[in-house]
Amino acid sequence: MLSPSQIETVRQFASEVAEREGCQLYDLEFHDGPGRALRVYIDKAGGVSIEDCANVSRALNLRLDVEDVISIGAYSLEVSSPGLDRKLSQRWHYEAAVEKTVRVKFRVADKNQTVEGKLVSLSEEEFNLKNVNGEWSVPFVDVIQARIVPENPFAKNNEPVKKTKKR
């Protein structure tokens, strides 16, 4: 397992490499155990290409090897776009998602609740969602998971993509 200081060092290196390659570090995760992996998510205006991912991967891999930040054994480095259904984990992710549809799982009393709606505003402590059933104020500290719901480009009014069951 990586320590918080190791994660912060990796985050700093990944951010520097991504910026040098014309991208922005969106997020990163380290998964320990079997199949140990460092997943780095990059973004840029106009979208991330395979070439962007390859360039960031090569440069970051070299930097991590030279600096020997992750010295706990073998791991794989995966660099990709955060995707259309990107995870929201940092405040600036929520700021960029205002006016978009999001799905949020959060704690309410002793249970978990999931709500999907348009992210309409945020403050220092919470954000506000709105859908046909009403409005919700969700404190950031209660969020378990939040993701953008991709829009359906073929629907009117940018409705979210509806999942259908295969028969």
Side-chain angles (χ1 to χ4, degrees):
M1 191 67 166
L2 296 181
S3 71
S5 66
Q6 286 174 303
I7 291 285
E8 191 52 40
T9 300
V10 170
R11 185 178 302 279
Q12 178 186 342
F13 291 168
S15 180
E16 290 169 4
V17 167
E19 286 179 29
R20 191 170 57 241
E21 296 297 331
C23 300
Q24 175 184 24
L25 175 65
Y26 186 82
D27 205 0
L28 63 80
E29 308 169 335
F30 186 79
H31 294 276
D32 207 1
R36 191 180 282 154
L38 172 60
R39 294 190 179 109
V40 176
Y41 302 98
I42 58 173
D43 202 7
K44 77 175 188 180
V48 174
S49 69
I50 292 173
E51 186 177 321
D52 293 325
C53 294
N55 291 341
V56 170
S57 179
R58 277 191 294 273
L60 181 57
N61 191 39
L62 180 61
R63 179 88 189 262
L64 292 172
D65 283 351
V66 168
E67 301 287 343
D68 197 26
V69 177
I70 304 174
S71 56
I72 57 174
Y75 66 94
S76 64
L77 172 62
E78 303 169 9
V79 178
S80 70
S81 157
L84 295 176
D85 64 340
R86 58 192 57 204
K87 182 173 78 170
L88 306 175
S89 61
Q90 299 177 36
R91 181 172 174 77
W92 70 270
H93 296 165
Y94 289 88
E95 290 169 352
V98 170
E99 295 300 315
K100 293 186 172 147
T101 302
V102 298
R103 182 176 298 116
V104 181
K105 182 177 181 180
F106 58 100
R107 286 181 286 282
V108 177
D110 291 339
K111 62 180 185 167
N112 296 336
Q113 181 173 355
T114 301
V115 173
E116 186 174 302
K118 183 185 276 192
L119 178 58
V120 291
S121 63
L122 60 147
S123 68
E124 286 298 316
E125 298 84 29
E126 64 186 20
F127 58 94
N128 300 298
L129 297 175
K130 185 176 183 178
N131 66 19
V132 295
N133 297 319
E135 294 188 30
W136 285 263
S137 294
V138 181
F140 285 110
V141 296
D142 292 338
V143 172
I144 297 166
Q145 182 182 38
R147 289 191 174 276
I148 290 179
V149 176
E151 294 175 349
N152 183 345
F154 303 107
K156 295 178 182 174
N157 301 323
N158 290 327
E159 295 170 354
V161 174
K162 301 290 185 203
K163 291 185 179 179
T164 58
K165 292 183 180 178
K166 293 183 180 180
R167 296 178 191 216

